Amino acid sequence: MTGRPPTGPPALRRVLDHLTRLPELPAVVCGSTTLSYRELGNLSAALARRLWEVGVRPGHTVVLRLPQSAEAVAAVLAVLRIGACAATVAPTQPTAQLQAIAAATRLTAVVHSGGDDPLPTAGLDPAATSAVTLVDLDQVPDSAPAVPEPVLPAAAPAYLVLTSGTSGIPKAVVLRWTEFDAYVTSKDGPATHGRLILACCRLSWDAGIGYLIKALAEGTTIALPDESQLRDAEATAELAERVRAEVIFSPTSYHELLLDHADLIGQHARVVLLGGEELTVGLARRHLDRLPHVELWNGYGPAETTVMVSSHHVTSATVDAANRGGAPIPIGHGGNGGTTRLLDPRLNPTPPGETGELYLGGAQVALGYLGQPSLTAARFVADPMGSPGARMYRTGDLAVRDAGTGDLVFRGRTDRQIKLRGARVELAGVEAVLNRHPSVRTAVVLPVTGDAGTELVAWCVPDEAHPGEIVPADLRRHCADLLVEQAVPSRFLPLASVPLTSNGKTDGAALRAQLATPTPEDPPASPSGEDQGHPDEEETGRSRVRRLVTEHWAAVLGHRDFRTTDDFFRLGGNSRRVVDLHLRLQQDWPDTVRVGELFDLVTIDLLTDAIAERIGEEAPPTPDQRPTSVEL
């Protein structure tokens, strides 16, 4: 596949040009693997040939269900250079995402990386399922004959982004090359052109593909953390230092963890761009204190408007003004031909200083939701102040515009949607999934913020036919099969009835107040068969390790709804809680387990075995022997 297509999307043409014009320049770094533009071109061409042979053509959809890797980047490019539409799905994501794509589009192939069949057939049309070909990326050769260059209209679909839905069923946003070209050529926001970019996110997030194609279109190098680095902020910071990353894009909450390693990321970084969640004054101030020489930008942009539509350069003056007014950090005011409008319920502009719903218009507005015309019509509406045929995306975000600067300040939502660790989560969708479980009559899901960040807590009223059968492990597995990782509640609590306010609405304050009242909980079971012992009995070294590890897990997670074979991260664990767990383990077994190992020792059984082996099953030090300070 050489040369460039005679017509087609400008961004794609630039990417294909750079494969031959910049052959020796590193194109992508992921983990320990680096691909030059020539190597990226050869590998993507070989996979494109394989996809062509199984029937993929322009306009078809290909699902990429791959772990984060340099090869996954090549797979994305292979789909795009055929002219097909890419849908990236992490291997750990629920099967409902594949089912939603297969039900709504012309799904032709699923690219996977060995292992079990990556396309579950439950709930799919058998005829559609039999027409989908599985392509094992591990079996694709290093090179292959070229396939015909695509001749695409500028408005051809480029990729799909999956977002949460109120029914619990994912909805797929269709991003066309028209919108993507507008984003790639955007000059608003921080200066990134020609600088090495580190994108601390998955390719299954819209910003992941967005920054990837933007970097390749600009002929620069992009670095992405691999699977293990994504779970370990220190490893990601080491990657930033190794590749000398000048621009770092990060979900807002992940930057909180990166700042613990400011000495690494601050050596070469000059710009940090955050997005996906609200930027707090505290986090902004912490960045300015620890990395005063690194520009901080607060970005904003739903998936429906192609990665990012506005950004604000955060300075000490910004933080001081927000702190005085008790308001969040501004999100900017748009640019590059895009429009940001604050409108009242009658679509009339709101005066400066008054809160309105944010509508986004311009070239970056997506086509709509795949296979959901009624939802598309409700959210993508005609622009009464634009040219004929112009549309706006109704974000559901409330904001106010500063009369002096024109910047927008986020004021909440019109619905029950939140952003959690970079993902959009519809609380109603999580409740809908829980309500489909036979043991649940009614579920209420709320975000709860604590020292370890924000988590989801589910309160469940048992179904009358299954009294007393609220089993957290069952509900957690049920949610994990249908929801993105961030939408799975970390705690499941039984509830006799839903408390209501005087006007008949759910009393969220009363539910959150229950969390401050400790309740007796049974200790976790031990499926491994090892006797956990009785408090009055003498413990062996290994059983004492198991007991203490279990206590630390319960303290960090805030509950005991787990067994010794359960995965820490499926129970509500995250990077911040890993650090907290490591601090606790240090008190009992100093320098026995490194913090990075906790991303692999994810069960009580695994962690117990590792610690017991390293200490020779000896008892931990007595309290007066424990260190008074801890260093990571």
Side-chain angles (χ1 to χ4, degrees):
M1 188 180 287
T2 58
R4 61 181 176 184
T7 62
L12 180 58
R13 292 204 305 268
R14 287 197 292 272
V15 172
L16 298 180
D17 276 349
H18 290 150
L19 297 178
T20 54
R21 290 176 53 196
L22 305 170
E24 304 307 322
L25 180 71
V28 59
V29 179
C30 190
S32 60
T33 302
T34 300
L35 293 180
S36 68
Y37 273 88
R38 175 189 289 118
E39 292 168 329
L40 178 62
N42 290 341
L43 183 55
S44 62
L47 179 56
R49 163 58 61 179
R50 176 71 182 119
L51 293 174
W52 187 269
E53 290 171 349
V54 302
V56 177
R57 296 294 184 270
H60 292 188
T61 299
V62 176
V63 165
L64 305 173
R65 199 178 197 206
L66 298 166
Q68 187 103 325
S69 63
E71 292 77 13
V73 172
V76 170
L77 184 55
V79 176
L80 298 181
R81 66 191 297 177
I82 284 180
C85 184
T88 53
V89 180
T92 57
Q93 294 301 316
T95 60
Q97 293 194 345
L98 280 176
Q99 294 169 356
I101 295 173
T105 186
R106 193 173 179 182
L107 178 58
T108 307
V110 175
V111 181
H112 65 109
S113 184
D116 297 332
D117 181 352
L119 181 62
T121 58
L124 298 184
D125 180 348
T129 303
S130 63
V132 175
T133 302
L134 304 180
V135 177
D136 189 345
L137 183 59
D138 292 340
Q139 298 179 6
V140 173
D142 293 334
S143 60
V147 301
E149 295 282 6
V151 180
L152 299 174
Y159 63 98
L160 304 178
V161 177
L162 294 169
T163 67
S164 174
T166 56
S167 65
I169 300 174
K171 53 189 179 184
V173 183
V174 184
L175 279 303
R176 300 173 297 180
W177 281 107
T178 302
E179 292 90 50
F180 202 77
D181 284 328
Y183 165 69
V184 167
T185 58
S186 170
K187 302 300 181 184
D188 191 39
T192 62
H193 191 91
R195 293 178 165 183
L196 193 148
I197 296 174
L198 170 65
C200 305
C201 59
R202 289 188 178 278
L203 289 171
S204 51
W205 199 24
D206 66 317
I209 285 193
Y211 273 89
L212 169 65
I213 303 303
K214 186 176 177 70
L216 297 179
E218 292 177 350
T220 189
T221 303
I222 185 168
L224 296 161
D226 63 15
E227 287 293 331
S228 61
Q229 291 166 337
L230 277 168
R231 298 181 298 172
D232 186 351
E234 182 177 11
T236 299
E238 291 171 349
L239 175 64
E241 179 193 31
R242 176 166 62 87
V243 301
R244 306 171 70 92
E246 299 171 90
V247 178
I248 296 177
F249 171 78
S250 172
T252 304
S253 59
Y254 197 74
H255 190 54
E256 180 79 52
L257 303 174
L258 287 177
L259 284 177
D260 290 339
H261 313 286
D263 57 323
L264 296 174
I265 64 175
Q267 293 193 35
H268 306 289
R270 295 296 174 262
V271 175
V272 166
L273 175 59
L274 304 181
E277 296 161 284
E278 180 181 319
L279 174 59
T280 64
V281 171
L283 178 56
R285 182 183 292 112
R286 186 166 177 246
H287 172 98
L288 296 176
D289 289 343
R290 302 209 65 179
L291 297 172
H293 62 289
V294 179
E295 291 182 19
L296 178 63
W297 289 75
N298 186 30
Y300 171 82
E304 290 84 350
T305 53
T306 320
V307 186
M308 186 179 70
V309 293
S310 68
S311 59
H312 175 82
H313 183 197
V314 182
T315 64
S316 296
T318 304
V319 173
D320 292 341
N323 195 45
R324 286 194 304 271
I329 301 297
I331 58 176
H333 54 268
N336 300 299
T339 60
T340 56
R341 294 197 175 102
L342 294 181
L343 306 178
D344 65 19
R346 296 184 178 182
L347 299 185
N348 295 316
T350 58
E354 291 190 12
T355 299
E357 185 174 356
L358 180 56
Y359 288 74
L360 304 175
Q364 290 181 219
V365 176
L367 178 63
Y369 299 114
L370 184 66
Q372 300 189 56
S374 59
L375 182 59
T376 297
R379 305 301 293 190
F380 295 83
V381 299
D383 185 351
M385 291 160 278
S387 58
R391 298 180 309 144
M392 303 182 295
Y393 171 64
R394 182 180 182 180
T395 67
D397 290 335
L398 297 174
V400 62
R401 192 182 300 276
D402 185 278
T405 65
D407 280 331
L408 297 166
V409 178
F410 181 72
R411 293 294 195 192
R413 292 282 304 175
T414 61
D415 53 22
R416 300 180 62 227
Q417 183 186 104
I418 66 170
K419 279 290 189 76
L420 188 59
R421 302 196 301 279
R424 187 187 308 173
V425 176
E426 294 272 9
L427 299 180
V430 182
E431 291 169 351
V433 166
L434 282 169
N435 289 335
R436 293 204 290 269
H437 193 277
S439 70
V440 176
R441 186 180 74 196
T442 303
V444 177
V445 177
L446 297 174
V448 176
T449 301
D451 294 339
T454 300
E455 62 178 341
L456 293 185
V457 178
W459 287 264
C460 301
V461 179
D463 185 84
E464 295 176 354
H466 303 81
E469 292 188 12
I470 297 299
V471 180
D474 291 345
L475 296 180
R476 186 173 287 110
R477 284 191 292 268
H478 173 71
C479 289
D481 287 341
L482 298 171
L483 299 168
V484 296
E485 176 185 348
Q486 295 91 331
V488 177
S490 60
R491 300 186 65 183
F492 299 85
L493 303 176
L495 192 66
S497 62
V498 177
L500 302 177
T501 63
S502 57
N503 60 6
K505 294 184 178 181
T506 299
D507 191 341
L511 290 173
R512 289 187 174 94
Q514 294 179 9
L515 299 177
T517 304
T519 57
E521 294 174 306
D522 294 328
S526 178
S528 63
E530 182 175 337
D531 184 8
Q532 294 184 2
H534 188 278
D536 295 332
E537 298 174 354
E538 182 178 355
E539 294 179 298
T540 66
R542 184 176 294 270
S543 63
R544 179 175 293 181
V545 171
R546 182 185 300 280
R547 177 177 60 80
L548 291 174
V549 168
T550 299
E551 292 175 0
H552 293 322
W553 267 44
V556 170
L557 294 172
H559 65 85
R560 288 181 177 268
D561 299 330
F562 52 78
R563 298 169 70 87
T564 60
T565 54
D566 286 341
D567 187 301
F568 181 80
F569 296 97
R570 296 290 290 270
L571 297 166
N574 54 41
S575 296
R576 172 59 64 187
R577 285 187 167 133
V578 164
V579 174
D580 293 341
L581 178 60
H582 183 257
L583 289 171
R584 288 177 172 274
L585 296 176
Q586 281 284 87
Q587 294 177 16
D588 288 320
W589 306 285
D591 303 324
T592 301
V593 178
R594 292 181 293 104
V595 65
E597 291 181 286
L598 296 177
F599 291 91
D600 295 315
L601 301 173
V602 295
T603 71
I604 289 176
D605 286 346
L606 289 173
L607 186 53
T608 296
D609 290 345
I611 294 173
E613 179 180 355
R614 295 173 191 183
I615 67 173
E617 296 189 7
E618 296 177 358
T622 57
D624 59 338
Q625 295 174 312
R626 293 176 181 174
T628 56
S629 62
V630 177
E631 293 184 3
L632 290 177

